[in-house]
Amino acid sequence: MISCANPSAQFLAHQQEIESAVLNVLRGSQYILGKEVEALEDEFAKFLGVKSVIGVANGTDAIEISLLALGVRPGDEVITVSHTAVATVAAIESIGAIPVLVDISPDTYTMNPDQLDEVLTSKTKVVIPVHLYGQSADLQRIMDFCEKHNLYLIEDVSQAHGAKWQGKRLGSIGHIGCFSCYPTKNLGAVGDAGLISSNDNSIAEKVRKIRQYGWKERNSSLIPGRNSRIDELQAAILRVKLRYLDDSNNKRIQIARSYTDDLINCNDIQLPIVKDGNEHVYHLYVIKSRFRDELLRFLSASNIYPGIHYPTPVHLQPAYKNRLRTSINMSTTETVCSEILSLPIYPELLLEERSMVTKNVTNFFECIIKAQKS
Ligand SMILES: *Cc1c(COP(=O)(O)O)cnc(C)c1O
């Protein structure tokens, strides 16, 4: 069986180091916000090239706490996309702010900057582009828009740990970067974890307080806060995996290259398009075809299980339907969801598994679809 992601393969690839890091935490005396968390925050800040990183409980909390730290209040509007993990939108609503959703570009499936002007109001405070599938959204135009209208920019980097834009790591460009370390992400824990990055000391200080009851010193809440701590075990494991992040991203890039080489001549598929200035780290390798559903069935008959990211746009899901404000034209968001397919990709995917995948995809188009057409 070949699945879309395989987090336990990454444990096995670094088993000794991970086991000894875990034992080290178990034998120590501090299980929450201790040395491991501090070291992870330092190391990830260096990796990104930012002043501060703060660990939190998960990626949804990272966005929620970032909005609070920027002073976003109930009724304020936050612009993001509908073609994303529901977490991006849920985090905005959880603090009483109003998500306003724009369409995506048909080439990269990331935020369409052409629609930002249309949804801007006097209540707009923040724009959250999502660096979907592993490459940067159109940051230059989104940054220009934010600067022009005095808005904050939060990067949702949950699918692009380590990816670069114009040579800079994503998460180091906006006012804040938010990362999920859910197990299947490019930097994945063995449970829930999240990271927040910023170059602004006062924002970072505020995030740090909100993460733990508004404390700077114990037992004195300076601002209203909550509990969204990251634990030492997850931090210790993430530190091991961070040492291999560039290496494992390079393995993803190699796999993507071989998929592209094998499928480039297949006319019925749109392959991933990488924009100039972007280094794509292939959290997902997403192809698009109007024969998606048939292809999915064909592959699963051969024990290959791709994913769909995502089958239903947020604004059309039951909890949000007919309720969220969107730009007038959401046609790209609403059409790609029935045509996209995420081929299996993870650093430990074997060479023979890759060729199994592309052999089956090619077979499908050469045998099944050609026969149908003729
Ligand atoms: C995974 C993900 C999140 C949410 O992270 P959790 O850790 O599951 O809360 C947010 N945004 C995007 C784009 C994601 O892929």
Side-chain angles (χ1 to χ4, degrees), residues 58-61 63 84-85 87-88 130 132 156 158-159 180-182 185 192-193 283 310:
N58 56 65
T60 313
D61 277 10
I63 297 173
T84 180
T88 316
V130 179
L132 201 72
D156 184 342
S158 287
Q159 300 194 3
S180 164
C181 298
Y182 183 81
K185 304 288 160 95
D192 278 311
H283 171 58
Y310 294 88

Side-chain angles (χ1 to χ4, degrees), residues 16-250:
Q16 276 189 346
E17 276 175 275
I18 291 173
E19 285 181 350
S20 96
V22 166
L23 262 185
N24 199 33
V25 172
L26 295 179
R27 287 170 177 158
S29 55
Q30 188 150 12
Y31 297 148
I32 288 269
L33 296 190
K35 299 200 301 287
E36 294 293 333
V37 170
E38 249 174 61
L40 172 67
E41 290 176 343
D42 264 16
E43 288 159 9
F44 197 53
K46 283 201 186 78
F47 175 84
L48 294 177
V50 297
K51 285 190 190 148
S52 309
V53 164
I54 303 98
V56 293
N58 56 65
T60 313
D61 277 10
I63 297 173
E64 199 178 313
I65 291 172
S66 297
L67 291 167
L68 287 171
L70 294 175
V72 174
R73 299 174 47 85
D76 287 346
E77 293 176 4
V78 178
I79 303 173
T80 188
V81 286
S82 189
H83 185 64
T84 180
V86 74
T88 316
V89 177
I92 298 168
E93 282 206 325
S94 70
I95 62 149
I98 299 169
V100 177
L101 309 181
V102 295
D103 205 3
I104 49 171
S105 305
D107 47 5
T108 59
Y109 314 115
T110 58
M111 178 176 274
N112 179 352
D114 288 334
Q115 293 185 340
L116 292 172
D117 273 314
E118 177 201 325
V119 297
L120 178 74
T121 74
S122 59
K123 291 196 172 147
T124 309
K125 293 280 148 48
V126 181
V127 181
I128 310 183
V130 179
H131 301 312
L132 201 72
Y133 304 154
Q135 80 170 315
S136 178
D138 192 346
L139 270 183
Q140 190 59 56
R141 291 189 55 203
I142 297 167
M143 266 191 323
D144 292 347
F145 176 81
C146 288
E147 257 167 49
K148 181 169 171 200
H149 300 286
N150 207 14
L151 307 173
Y152 287 114
L153 173 60
I154 296 180
E155 299 173 67
D156 184 342
V157 205
S158 287
Q159 300 194 3
H161 311 66
K164 289 179 183 167
W165 173 81
Q166 311 279 355
K168 293 185 199 131
R169 301 273 189 191
L170 296 179
S172 71
I173 296 141
H175 297 93
I176 297 187
C178 292
F179 299 77
S180 164
C181 298
Y182 183 81
T184 58
K185 304 288 160 95
N186 288 36
L187 179 64
V190 301
D192 278 311
L195 295 162
I196 296 174
S197 59
S198 184
N199 272 314
D200 182 313
N201 290 335
S202 72
I203 293 173
E205 175 98 335
K206 211 157 164 206
V207 165
R208 212 172 274 286
K209 286 185 194 127
I210 296 169
R211 153 176 90 173
Q212 181 168 237
Y213 317 131
W215 288 357
K216 186 166 184 193
E217 308 294 341
R218 226 182 155 67
N219 294 322
S220 170
S221 295
L222 303 173
I223 55 173
R226 44 175 294 187
N227 169 8
S228 181
R229 293 176 299 226
I230 178 175
D231 62 67
E232 287 281 285
L233 277 176
Q234 299 305 341
I237 293 166
L238 287 170
R239 285 184 68 203
V240 174
K241 294 209 185 166
L242 177 57
R243 294 203 280 274
Y244 297 98
L245 180 54
D246 277 333
D247 181 52
S248 52
N249 280 343
N250 281 330

Side-chain angles (χ1 to χ4, degrees), residues 10 84 148 162 173 179 194 202 232 255 295 298 309 313 359 373:
Q10 200 164 50
T84 180
K148 181 169 171 200
I173 296 141
F179 299 77
S202 72
E232 287 281 285
I255 296 166
L295 175 60
F298 183 86
H309 303 84
K359 214 173 76 207
K373 282 179 179 168

